[in-house]
Amino acid sequence: MMTTVPRFRAGVASFAPRPFELDLAKGALWAQRLRGPFALACTSGSVWLTREGDPDDVVLSAGGCYRGADQGLVVVEALSRAHITVSREGFSGKLRRLLAVLRQQWLVLVSLFSLYVIWGSTYLGMHIALETLPPFFMGGTRFVLAGGILYGVLRLRGEAAPSRKQWAGAALVGSLLLACGNGFLAIGQQRGWVSSGVAAVVVTTMPLWMAVLGSAAAFVQRRMGREGTSAAPSAGEWTGLLVGFTGATLLHLGGAMGGSGGGILLLMLSPFAWALGSLLSRSLDLPKGLMASAAQMIAGGVIMLSLAPLLGEPLPLAPSARSLAALAYLTVFGSIVGFSAYGYLIRNTRPAIATSYAYVNPLVAIALGIWLGGEAASATTWLAAIIVISGVVIVSMARARPSTS
């Protein structure tokens, strides 16, 4: 494959000490194994360049420059009479690269900390906000505010507004993720069916439900004689599902999940709805990047606010300062900062790193609930959390392992 390199405007001497220059006649070849970062500039004529380890060949015209970060064999063929300059990166260039790497690693660490601690603390934040705010009114206000702020920032940065079809897709996904996924959990916390820590453990079963829904999709596709993207679960995935749902069952049998049978069903529907919404988001027409999150939060928040009076929720006329502070924390940190950190990790790290918060959030939520929320966690709750997390890890590892079929 051949690509054309744009003209190099800044020249060569400004960034590379001890360059050496070559004149090449038309058709002449020059080959050299270069170590470390280098820059090759074509000051006149044109050359064809191939570098070991780079799948793309490039054509440099007069003023063009090619930079390589790693060592490897470089072969240059003159397409016309040409003059090239080759230089290595000096100390200042290496220092800039080191600072760039450190900056990226710092941002990764800060983003991971944000997800581990902030998203782990949102369950306690919901518990405090629900002291004087009804569940759907609280959630709807949180997501409309967070989505509106994020939407405004993205539009000011030049992002395109979602189309009507994309708003419809965002409304469907937002209703599942937020109105059902977040709303059902808020009802359970508000009515005292679960503590904030147990709520986090319940949410952690979401990847297990994703695996179940993916398996169901694969079964339907096979029955219809179609070959889809979903594959039947492997033995490792079945093992992870069994382990994970055993932990969820232990939560109920150990008394950590209160309420009637209908209440337990509502709580378990929360991660199921989140998984279904996540699965549908892969096939629906949605905005790109963070605009999808903004649209989903706005649409889901509006739906929650619309459902609040239908569910008999009273308008909170005198919410406590403590609940309002928790709502502000959930809006700014839980939604805006958390979604931004997650988006950065998805774009700049492996998916296993970006989604590792699912293994940490329950432990953080339980610890914060005990430390700051005055909640209690029995040995059964801790054991169930570890079992659920183990099941999620097994499923994730089984899915990451390449198929041998």
Side-chain angles (χ1 to χ4, degrees), residues 12 24 30 39 44 52 97 104 110 137 146 154 157 174 178 214 250 267 269 278 336 381:
V12 178
L24 298 175
W30 174 80
S44 65
E52 181 181 12
R97 287 196 306 111
Q104 184 181 36
V110 170
F137 182 86
L154 293 173
R157 289 172 50 185
L178 306 179
L250 183 61
L267 287 171
L269 279 176
S278 301
I336 299 176
T381 298

Side-chain angles (χ1 to χ4, degrees), residues 136 143 173-184 300-301 303-304 307:
F136 272 64
F143 293 119
V173 175
S175 65
L176 289 169
L177 296 182
L178 306 179
C180 297
N182 189 273
F184 293 166
I303 291 172
M304 294 183 77
L307 290 175

Side-chain angles (χ1 to χ4, degrees), residues 170-208:
L172 176 58
V173 175
S175 65
L176 289 169
L177 296 182
L178 306 179
C180 297
N182 189 273
F184 293 166
L185 200 69
I187 291 175
Q189 284 190 254
Q190 191 254 355
R191 297 189 180 183
W193 294 340
V194 289
S195 64
S196 60
V198 173
V201 179
V202 172
V203 171
T204 303
T205 63
M206 190 273 290
L208 305 178

Side-chain angles (χ1 to χ4, degrees), residues 349-371:
T349 65
R350 299 191 307 274
I353 295 177
T355 58
S356 60
Y357 71 89
Y359 316 139
V360 182
N361 282 174
L363 304 180
V364 172
I366 293 174
L368 289 177
I370 296 173
W371 181 33

Side-chain angles (χ1 to χ4, degrees), residues 81-102:
R81 184 174 182 83
H83 182 85
I84 63 173
T85 302
V86 183
S87 57
R88 294 183 181 179
E89 190 176 54
F91 174 77
S92 60
K94 293 179 181 178
L95 181 60
R96 286 195 300 271
R97 287 196 306 111
L98 177 61
L99 291 176
V101 171
L102 291 177

Side-chain angles (χ1 to χ4, degrees), residues 63-385:
C65 182
Y66 176 89
R67 290 185 178 88
D70 304 314
Q71 65 182 15
L73 178 65
V74 177
V75 179
V76 175
E77 178 183 0
L79 301 177
S80 62
R81 184 174 182 83
H83 182 85
I84 63 173
T85 302
V86 183
S87 57
R88 294 183 181 179
E89 190 176 54
F91 174 77
S92 60
K94 293 179 181 178
L95 181 60
R96 286 195 300 271
R97 287 196 306 111
L98 177 61
L99 291 176
V101 171
L102 291 177
R103 177 176 176 271
Q104 184 181 36
Q105 294 303 317
W106 173 251
L107 288 175
V108 169
L109 292 176
V110 170
S111 297
L112 284 174
F113 176 82
S114 298
L115 292 190
Y116 289 172
V117 177
I118 292 178
W119 273 8
S121 66
T122 54
Y123 300 95
L124 178 60
M126 288 176 60
H127 176 79
I128 296 173
L130 290 168
E131 290 176 351
T132 58
L133 292 173
F136 272 64
F137 182 86
M138 182 276 294
T141 303
R142 165 193 174 183
F143 293 119
V144 167
L145 288 175
I149 294 172
L150 186 58
Y151 180 87
V153 171
L154 293 173
R155 290 289 287 144
L156 289 175
R157 289 172 50 185
E159 297 283 343
S163 64
R164 185 175 299 179
K165 185 177 180 181
Q166 288 174 334
W167 275 115
L172 176 58
V173 175
S175 65
L176 289 169
L177 296 182
L178 306 179
C180 297
N182 189 273
F184 293 166
L185 200 69
I187 291 175
Q189 284 190 254
Q190 191 254 355
R191 297 189 180 183
W193 294 340
V194 289
S195 64
S196 60
V198 173
V201 179
V202 172
V203 171
T204 303
T205 63
M206 190 273 290
L208 305 178
W209 287 113
M210 283 283 287
V212 170
L213 291 172
S215 302
F219 175 77
V220 172
Q221 288 165 354
R222 287 196 304 271
R223 290 295 299 267
M224 297 178 65
R226 295 188 304 179
E227 183 176 352
T229 57
S230 300
S234 63
E237 288 179 278
W238 280 120
T239 300
L241 290 172
L242 179 61
V243 171
F245 285 121
T246 297
T249 303
L250 183 61
L251 280 178
H252 175 50
L253 297 179
M257 296 174 63
S260 62
I264 300 300
L265 178 62
L266 194 66
L267 287 171
M268 293 311 298
L269 279 176
S270 169
F272 177 84
W274 192 282
L276 181 58
S278 301
L279 198 63
L280 289 176
S281 67
R282 299 177 181 178
S283 57
L284 292 174
D285 182 13
L286 295 172
K288 302 298 182 184
L290 285 176
M291 184 58 80
S293 299
Q296 288 165 18
M297 284 193 289
I298 292 174
V302 169
I303 291 172
M304 294 183 77
L305 289 176
S306 302
L307 290 175
L310 299 179
L311 295 175
E313 291 188 358
L315 186 66
L317 299 178
S320 67
R322 176 180 162 95
S323 290
L324 291 177
L327 178 61
Y329 177 82
L330 291 171
T331 301
V332 176
F333 292 96
S335 297
I336 299 176
V337 176
F339 271 116
S340 299
Y342 182 67
Y344 175 80
L345 290 173
I346 282 293
R347 294 189 302 269
N348 294 278
T349 65
R350 299 191 307 274
I353 295 177
T355 58
S356 60
Y357 71 89
Y359 316 139
V360 182
N361 282 174
L363 304 180
V364 172
I366 293 174
L368 289 177
I370 296 173
W371 181 33
L372 300 176
E375 298 176 349
S378 65
T380 302
T381 298
W382 283 105
L383 178 60

